[in-house]
Amino acid sequence: MLGAMEVVSPTAPPRGARGLHRFANPGRFLRLAGRALPWVSAIGLVLVALGLVWGLFFAPADWQQGDAVRIMYVHVPAAWLASAGYMALACASAVALVWRHPLADLAAVEIAPVGAGFTAICLVTGSLWGKPMWGAFWVWDARLTSVLVLFFLYLGHIALTRAFDSPERGYRAGAILALVGVVNLPIIKFSVDWWNTLHQPASITLTGAPTMYVGMLWPLLFTALGASFIFAALVLARLSAAVMERRIRALLAARAEGT
Amino acid sequence: MTHLAYIVPAYVSALVIPAWLAGEAWLRLRRARARLLALEGGRRR
């Protein structure tokens, strides 16, 4: 029940969106992001450095794959973040479309290049692992193809948001593409179960025990967690710059109107 | 260590792409901060 003093204006955001709208104030967002960015970056760098050194020099080689298994410590975190980043892009797009949150459209625009970068890492490192293991840099396997489609979805989003004279129309078109593209995420996840693929099934699941030796699992978890922090730091930095650039455009427009 | 010819480029790509994204973000942030300071400083005067 609303308190006696609470006044709801006709333009107030819906109840569910009010928590999000607390961060819509660009000044508040910039203050929070400025404080969080050094910490998020530092934690990410330390975890990734620990995970990579552990994975490269101290984790055991695989009895079948030899040392090529060490590519996993960069490939798997990149693959997880490629999908997680797209989920974040779709969520930001949904929030922008439904609640018109003023930072959500900018967040979607800034997540896309970072997600595309991590998907590129996933594809490149996967190819470099595939050559010695499968004898080919690329096969049209369901998992590989669906991740390539994810990469094109990211590129499509980047292109679409920049294709319009009015940024708002570009954001809206990008948001619709992002939401349609979500259908690709379960295809990526379950492609190894639904089809007979060269790509091995998941070694780590949320419901079952990992099928990986614990000496390999720990460095992988370190790099995955660290890469997640780095992904977040990159998005925070880009989003802060985008908020400032929007403010600059508004000031320049106000100045032009005044003259 | 076996497969070094594949491991090295994999790690290099995994470091170069985020480093490039970070460099780009840092430059954008620096440029935007300086421009905003100049504009808002000018407005206050």
Side-chain angles (χ1 to χ4, degrees):
Chain A
M1 200 171 179
L2 293 176
M5 297 300 287
E6 194 176 354
V7 178
V8 181
S9 80
T11 54
R15 264 185 176 283
R18 274 186 216 161
L20 287 171
H21 274 262
R22 280 193 306 126
F23 301 101
N25 181 312
R28 180 180 289 168
F29 169 78
L30 286 176
R31 268 197 308 279
L32 282 175
R35 252 181 255 152
L37 195 54
W39 289 100
V40 176
S41 312
I43 292 170
L45 286 173
V46 168
L47 286 175
V48 163
L50 283 174
L52 289 186
V53 170
W54 192 346
L56 261 179
F57 302 110
F58 300 104
D62 185 74
W63 70 282
Q64 273 183 318
Q65 300 176 34
D67 287 304
V69 76
R70 299 184 200 283
I71 294 176
M72 165 183 77
Y73 301 116
V74 288
H75 173 72
V76 173
W80 285 346
L81 284 167
S83 289
Y86 196 86
M87 199 62 218
L89 169 62
C91 288
S93 299
V95 170
L97 278 179
V98 176
W99 289 303
R100 306 282 172 106
H101 189 284
L103 287 184
D105 51 6
L106 285 184
V109 168
E110 299 305 333
I111 288 168
V114 182
F118 278 78
T119 313
I121 295 172
C122 169
L123 289 168
V124 169
T125 54
S127 290
L128 286 163
W129 179 86
K131 180 64 180 168
M133 293 302 116
W134 298 340
F137 282 111
W138 185 262
V139 286
W140 291 101
D141 170 279
R143 171 59 71 82
L144 277 67
T145 308
S146 52
V147 173
L148 184 65
V149 169
L150 180 72
F151 184 58
F152 289 143
L153 281 168
Y154 274 125
L155 295 188
H157 187 274
I158 295 167
L160 202 54
T161 50
R162 296 171 187 193
F164 292 85
D165 288 334
S166 151
E168 279 67 32
R169 287 183 65 196
Y171 298 157
R172 179 167 281 246
I176 292 166
L177 173 71
L179 290 176
V180 171
V182 166
V183 75
N184 191 39
L185 293 183
I187 295 176
I188 293 173
K189 169 85 180 93
F190 297 111
S191 55
V192 288
D193 304 320
W194 291 343
W195 293 289
N196 187 18
T197 59
L198 261 179
H199 196 287
Q200 66 268 43
S203 305
I204 302 168
T205 58
L206 289 174
T207 48
T211 57
M212 189 186 289
Y213 172 59
V214 73
M216 294 172 168
L217 181 65
W218 276 108
L220 177 61
L221 293 178
F222 267 71
T223 48
L225 193 61
S228 308
F229 273 95
I230 287 176
F231 191 104
L234 289 171
V235 172
L236 265 183
R238 294 180 68 95
L239 187 53
S240 300
V243 168
M244 287 186 211
E245 286 160 359
R246 182 184 265 185
R247 173 89 181 131
I248 290 167
R249 281 194 300 274
L251 284 174
L252 288 176
R255 186 174 284 187
E257 273 174 23
T259 54
Chain B
M1 196 181 276
T2 63
H3 302 101
L4 262 183
Y6 301 101
I7 295 169
V8 171
Y11 275 70
V12 167
S13 74
L15 296 176
V16 165
I17 293 175
W20 178 71
L21 286 165
E24 192 204 0
W26 182 75
L27 276 178
R28 260 181 80 188
L29 255 180
R30 208 175 68 152
R31 224 176 284 147
R33 202 171 282 151
R35 191 88 202 276
L36 197 56
L37 267 177
L39 279 171
E40 291 192 323
R43 212 167 60 135
R44 280 192 197 110
R45 264 185 264 129

